[in-house]
Amino acid sequence: MRYSAAFIAILASIPPTLGSRDVQRRGASARISNANTPPVTVKGNAFFVGDKRFYIRGVDYQPGGDGAKKDPLASTTDCSRDVKYFKKLGINTIRVYAVDNSVNHDECMKLLADAGIYLAVDVNTPGYSLNRETWWSLKASYNEVYMQSVFSTVEQFAKYDNTLLFFSANEVVNAINSTFAAPYIKAVGRDIKQFMKARNLRAVPSGYSAADVEENRFQMAQYLNCGGDDERSDFFAFNDYSWCAPSDFQKSGWDKKVQQYSSYPLPLFLSEYGCNTNKRDFGEVATLYSDKMTAVYSGGLSYEYSQGANKYGLVQIDNSGSIEELPDLAVLAAAFKNTPMPSGPGGYKSDAKASNCPTASNQWSVTNTSLPIMPKNAAQYMTNGAGPGPGFNKDPKYPNGSQWAGTPTPGFGAVGASSSSSSGKSGNNTGGAKKSGGVVPSAPARVTWLILASALGFAFRFL
């Protein structure tokens, strides 16, 4: 393509994104092991501890509610209090949706490990995540400031052998018209895997937690498992609230999902379940760990531990930190107690082949296999480490406490491509997205993108 002098002049006049950061760096931390929680690995479409199949049996753990800037693993007092109830439930896993990557978590992770409990942890936080509000906000949010926060969480938690897995994103694709975000979700997963390898960290399984959207959930599963090994996810999870008591395997539609995913080659599990439309009896627990499902599913996480506005809680935590047991706690504990863990390999498939990428449709807008190139300025973390993250609070090292201070790298490319090999392709992300409630880019970022868009429109008149 020819570029006019006017086009080049306008591009040269665009100011760089404001803000720079002085990031502390450190080497990979030593592994922290515990005999009660040996590391979990992936074999075929299942999780294993050594040669024994591992099934996730747990709860989602987010005291303070959805989006709260509260890290339940940062308080030894809270952690000690809640581990007692985890043991009462008889679970082996908790999921935490956001952690403060500026603080140490050794004490709580040890308390969990001593109780035989693993952690499934999301790498995003309310202030540092992919923003699906528009194509431009999504592109702008994928920058080196965001990736430093992600890598910091990975660097800190990979050292614990009871870190079960990383969620690279949660429900970013939440509607038919938001699948344009899929390449960025996949790119973050790719970057996490490359970072762990470059930093010589334990290869903790990394994957995605999908929304309960029937129209494109299976396409998302296929997409995250297509392509080369460096970009494919290690597992796929989704939130499922279709089993509403009284229900069963057929009435809930779980039988059809087992059939749909019967050939899916990655570990599959429920990242949230527990419909509360009616009084919950947790009858799905017995089915989830039965031979009806174990060849395809590896368990799941019940939503959720503490009571919030949506009334899914097992316990109520008051302002003083005291616990009140709610009726669902005993019901779920009984369901787990009456459902023994499956024995043997459970019919798992050992061959984890890549899937075919889904074709474009009204429900799926991605049209090619190229992924966004990792932000150029994030490459330093592969060599030097990420260091402490921004956490939940504003810090002078992080301008305005915002990820929008970072600079995205334009273009798409092959797996592992650097910014210098950008293909400039972006045609596989079109259409609007459902508003997510995320942060809109700050004024400097918005102005930069608007100037660039205007420059492109103006310059093409002279081509």
Side-chain angles (χ1 to χ4, degrees):
M1 178 182 290
R2 294 180 297 108
Y3 296 94
S4 69
F7 176 58
I8 295 172
I10 293 172
L11 284 182
S13 70
I14 297 174
T17 305
L18 300 180
S20 61
R21 298 178 302 113
D22 177 21
V23 180
Q24 298 180 37
R25 299 178 177 90
R26 64 184 177 201
S29 300
R31 288 270 293 273
I32 299 178
S33 302
N34 189 302
N36 295 322
T37 52
V40 175
T41 59
V42 171
K43 297 180 183 179
N45 75 329
F47 295 110
F48 278 82
V49 172
D51 294 327
K52 183 178 180 181
R53 177 97 183 257
F54 179 86
Y55 294 89
I56 295 172
R57 178 176 291 199
V59 296
D60 297 306
Y61 181 47
Q62 54 173 356
D66 185 19
K69 292 186 176 182
K70 178 178 175 62
D71 178 358
L73 305 182
S75 168
T76 305
T77 300
D78 291 353
C79 203
S80 299
R81 175 199 66 198
D82 295 333
V83 164
K84 297 176 184 177
Y85 291 94
F86 299 157
K87 293 169 71 174
K88 187 172 185 176
L89 282 166
I91 61 176
N92 63 16
T93 305
I94 61 169
R95 176 188 183 179
V96 174
Y97 290 82
V99 291
D100 184 339
N101 52 22
S102 68
V103 302
N104 185 279
H105 296 86
D106 288 356
E107 292 185 6
C108 188
M109 290 300 290
K110 184 179 187 304
L111 288 170
L112 292 171
D114 288 344
I117 296 172
Y118 291 85
L119 172 68
V121 60
D122 290 60
V123 300
N124 295 282
T125 69
Y128 294 81
S129 60
L130 293 176
N131 187 299
R132 63 166 180 250
E133 186 169 1
T134 67
W135 157 247
W136 292 108
S137 68
L138 177 68
K139 183 180 179 68
S141 65
Y142 179 59
N143 59 54
E144 82 279 7
V145 178
Y146 165 63
M147 291 312 303
Q148 191 273 335
S149 180
V150 169
F151 290 158
S152 179
T153 298
V154 171
E155 192 168 58
Q156 291 180 42
F157 281 88
K159 68 182 179 182
Y160 304 113
D161 276 1
N162 62 324
T163 296
L164 171 62
L165 55 86
F166 293 121
F167 285 115
S168 60
N170 175 60
E171 294 192 332
V172 177
V173 173
N174 68 334
I176 295 175
N177 65 347
S178 58
T179 59
F180 69 91
Y184 284 87
I185 297 168
K186 192 170 182 177
V188 173
R190 171 205 63 196
D191 297 344
I192 289 172
K193 294 177 74 170
Q194 290 184 350
F195 178 75
M196 288 189 289
K197 184 176 181 179
R199 299 299 300 153
N200 197 29
L201 302 174
R202 180 169 68 90
V204 179
S206 173
Y208 177 63
S209 173
D212 192 3
V213 179
E214 184 65 31
E215 291 82 1
N216 53 41
R217 184 173 52 216
F218 186 63
Q219 290 94 320
M220 190 69 183
Q222 291 176 308
Y223 179 70
L224 292 176
N225 186 51
C226 73
D229 290 345
D230 288 344
E231 62 181 295
R232 291 166 57 204
S233 290
D234 296 315
F235 64 83
F236 183 74
F238 62 89
N239 304 333
D240 191 331
Y241 292 92
S242 58
W243 186 303
C244 299
S247 192
D248 58 35
F249 188 50
Q250 288 77 28
K251 185 177 179 180
S252 64
W254 282 22
D255 59 332
K256 294 181 176 60
K257 290 169 185 171
V258 168
Q259 183 178 8
Q260 183 179 42
Y261 289 92
S262 61
S263 298
Y264 193 65
L266 298 182
L268 181 76
F269 66 93
L270 300 181
S271 41
E272 294 177 8
Y273 71 86
C275 170
N276 68 350
T277 300
N278 304 313
K279 185 177 180 180
R280 299 197 288 186
D281 61 15
F282 292 106
E284 62 264 50
V285 169
T287 300
L288 184 59
Y289 299 97
S290 73
D291 58 9
K292 293 178 180 178
M293 300 187 70
T294 55
V296 180
Y297 285 66
S298 290
L301 298 155
S302 177
Y303 189 85
E304 64 177 323
Y305 174 70
S306 55
Q307 186 79 305
N310 50 18
K311 306 298 182 184
Y312 282 89
L314 305 176
V315 302
Q316 178 76 55
I317 305 175
D318 66 20
N319 292 334
S320 69
S322 297
I323 293 283
E324 176 191 352
E325 295 186 18
L326 299 177
D328 282 351
L329 178 72
V331 177
L332 182 58
F336 284 146
K337 182 178 180 180
N338 295 329
T339 305
M341 279 291 197
S343 59
Y348 93 103
K349 294 176 287 294
S350 60
D351 190 6
K353 294 181 179 179
S355 302
N356 292 324
C357 292
T359 56
S361 67
N362 291 335
Q363 290 79 37
W364 187 257
S365 65
V366 181
T367 59
N368 68 52
T369 58
S370 297
L371 297 181
I373 295 169
M374 188 181 74
K376 179 180 179 180
N377 293 335
Q380 60 183 305
Y381 308 128
M382 298 289 180
T383 302
N384 302 323
F392 294 153
N393 301 312
K394 293 184 178 181
D395 187 294
K397 298 186 183 70
Y398 301 87
N400 301 319
S402 171
Q403 76 181 75
W404 302 108
T407 305
T409 295
F412 282 50
V415 177
S418 66
S419 59
S420 61
S421 61
S422 169
S423 67
K425 295 179 181 178
S426 59
N428 62 327
N429 293 274
T430 58
K434 182 177 179 181
K435 188 172 183 178
S436 66
V439 181
V440 178
S442 61
R446 289 200 304 271
V447 170
T448 298
W449 289 116
L450 288 172
I451 293 173
L452 179 58
S454 299
L456 288 170
F458 176 78
F460 274 109
R461 295 171 57 191
F462 297 90
L463 296 179

